Amino acid sequence: MKSYAIGVDLGGTFIKTALVRIHGEIVGKVEIDSERDRGPEGVIENILRAIRLVMKQNKTTEDEICAIGIGSPGPLDTRKGIVCNAVNLPGWINVPLRDRIEKVFGIPANLENDANAAAYGEYWKGAGQNSSIMLAYTLGTGVGGGIIINGELIRGASDCAGELGHVTIVPDGRLCGCGNQGCLEAYASATSLVRIVELNIKQGRAPLLQKWSREGKKLTAKLIYEAYQQGDVFAKEMLEQLGYYLGVGVSTAVMALNPDVVVIGGGMMNAGAVIIEPVRREVKRRVFPEHFENLKIIPAELGNDAGVIGSVGLALQMTQNQKSQRL
Amino acid sequence: MKSYAIGVDLGGTFIKTALVRIHGEIVGKVEIDSERDRGPEGVIENILRAIRLVMKQNKTTEDEICAIGIGSPGPLDTRKGIVCNAVNLPGWINVPLRDRIEKVFGIPANLENDANAAAYGEYWKGAGQNSSIMLAYTLGTGVGGGIIINGELIRGASDCAGELGHVTIVPDGRLCGCGNQGCLEAYASATSLVRIVELNIKQGRAPLLQKWSREGKKLTAKLIYEAYQQGDVFAKEMLEQLGYYLGVGVSTAVMALNPDVVVIGGGMMNAGAVIIEPVRREVKRRVFPEHFENLKIIPAELGNDAGVIGSVGLALQMTQNQKSQRL
C-alpha cells in the first residue's frame, strides 16, 4: 500500500523535503543546503540526497511512495516538467527536473511553481480549506501569489498565472526588481520595506531605527517589527503603509476574481494585525459590498510547510487525473 | 427537434432579443424599448413581448426552443436566477427574472451578468474562440469585463467576478461612478474620456473640439474620434492616453491570470488602432516576456450581438450540465 508521498521545495538557499501521508500530514522533514554554485547537476544531486534522507530517517522505502511533488522557482514548463530559467539558481536553463527525479526513483513526479505550490498547500490543508475561489499572497523577499478556483490551481496559458506580486498598483511608481514600475512587490515585500525605511533613516525621520542601525543591528523587516512592538510610531506607520498598498493590490484581484478567501502568508506576516487590518480596511473601501460581504482575509496557517504540502497535493492530483484518464 | 434558443439582452434603454441556432448563428433579432420607468412588471412584460415577437417574425414556436438565455445588469444571484439590484433599472430589487420567464414559456432559462454574457459570446463565437484563458473588456459608458478559463465563465464566490473595469489603476486617482478612487473605468470609459476632454476645453487646450462644441455639436466619444480622424493632435493624445491606462489595467489582469487572448470591444473600439496599439505597448512593457510571448490582444468581433449570443451559449451549457447530472 503506497500511503506516502514526498514533497520537495527547491530554493536558492535550501532544499526542503518532507515525507507526507497522502492525507496531507507531514511525517518528517529534511532541509539541506542547495549549494547552488555547483550548478544544476550539483543541486539535483542534493535533491536526490535529501529525498533519500527523508525516506531513510522515517524508515520508508520507495515502494511506499506514490508520488513526488516538486516546487521550484520559475519560469517553468509544468506540462513538460522543465525548469526554463530559475532566477536564483545559476545555470538552470531548460533543466528537465521532473523526469530526472522520476527516472531515479521510478515514482511519478510533478513539477510546479513554488508560489503556486504554497498556495495549493494552504488550500488543501491550511487557511483556504473549502474555499471556492482562493487567492494566496506570500510576503517575503518578494511577493508571491497563487489562485485556486474550485480546487484547481490556475496555471495560465504559459504557466505564469498567479503573479499577484507584479500587478501594477502605481502606474509610474517605484521600480520593481522585475524591471517594471509600480508593482505590488515594490511596496509590500520585506525588501521594499527595508529600502523605504533606509531612505527615511537618511532623511532623519526614523530616530529609533537609526539608533539601532548605528549600534550595528542589521536593518531587516524583523528589526522594523521589533521597533513597532516597542511602540515606535514611525515603524508602525511603515507597516501600516505596507498594509495599505497590499490592500490596493488585493482589491484589484478581488474585483477580477471575487474570491471567498484571501490567504496572506510569508515571513512578513509575523507582524500580523498591523499589516492585515489596513489590508481589510482598504479592500472594504475599494470593492463592491457584494465582493466584501462573504470575503475572509486571513493569515496563512502552514508557514514554511505550505510548499512541500502543496507540492504533494498537486502531485497526488496529477496521479489521480492520470488514473481517471486511463479508466 | 429543438434546434433554436433565444438570447435576451436586458439594458436600461433597450431590450434586445435574438433567435439563435444552437450552433450560435443568429436567425433574427428584435429590439424594443425597455420602458424602465414602468418598473419591473412593465419591463418584464416587454421582455415577454420581445421574445414572442422574435419567434413570430422568424416563424418558430416554443416547441422548437430548447433554452432562453438572459443577460442582465447586476448584481445578480445567478444560481437562483434573481436580479438583486440593477442600477439602471428603477425598482428592480430581488426580481426572480429567470423563473418568471421560464414559467411563462415552459422553457429552461438561465440568467447571467450582461458583461459576462458578452464575454462568453466572444469566447464561443467571436474573437476568443479556442482560447484557454480569455479576458474580455467592453469599453462603453462604463468598462465591463469577463473571464473565461478552459471554457468556463468565472462567476466568482458571490456572482461578481470579472469586474475588470473596477480594478484600481491609480490608488488616489480619479473618482469612479462606483464610489471608489482610481478605477480603470474612470480612465478608459467613453464617459471618462468626455469628462477629461471637457476639462481640457475649459482650460483652452482643445481648440478644434472647443470650436465644434460652440457650433452646437454634442461632445461625445464619437466626436472626439472624428477630431482625431481629421488630424487633431489633442484628440489623438486623449485616445492614446485612454489606451495607456487601459494597458495598465490589462497588464494587471495578465499578471494574475496569464491569458492567451484579451478581447477588447464596445463602442469606443471604433477608434481601433489608436487605442489598441498603446494597450499592446503598455502590456508588453509591464508583463514578463513569458506572459506576452503568446498573448493576443485583439478587437471583439461580435459587436452588439455578443450579449445575446453569449447568453444563449451559457443557457445551452446550463441545460447540458443539467442533462449530464441526470445521467
Side-chain angles (χ1 to χ4, degrees), chain B residues 108-127:
Chain B
N110 186 54
L111 178 71
E112 299 284 350
N113 175 287
D114 49 5
N116 283 346
Y120 192 81
E122 289 292 339
Y123 168 77
W124 188 37
K125 292 292 158 187

Side-chain angles (χ1 to χ4, degrees), chain B residues 3 16 25 51 127 169 198 226 230 259 263 286 294 327:
Chain B
S3 46
K16 294 174 206 151
E25 182 202 341
I51 292 174
I169 59 163
E198 271 171 354
E226 271 175 41
Q230 298 200 7
V263 175
R286 289 182 180 273
N294 299 308
L327 289 179

Side-chain angles (χ1 to χ4, degrees), chain B residues 8 10 15 17 32 42-52 70 92 97 101 105:
Chain B
V8 179
L10 170 60
I15 295 163
T17 57
I32 64 172
V43 175
I44 291 175
E45 258 176 46
N46 286 334
I47 294 173
L48 299 175
R49 190 160 57 88
I51 292 174
R52 287 190 185 108
I70 311 151
W92 282 65
L97 182 60
I101 291 177
F105 295 102

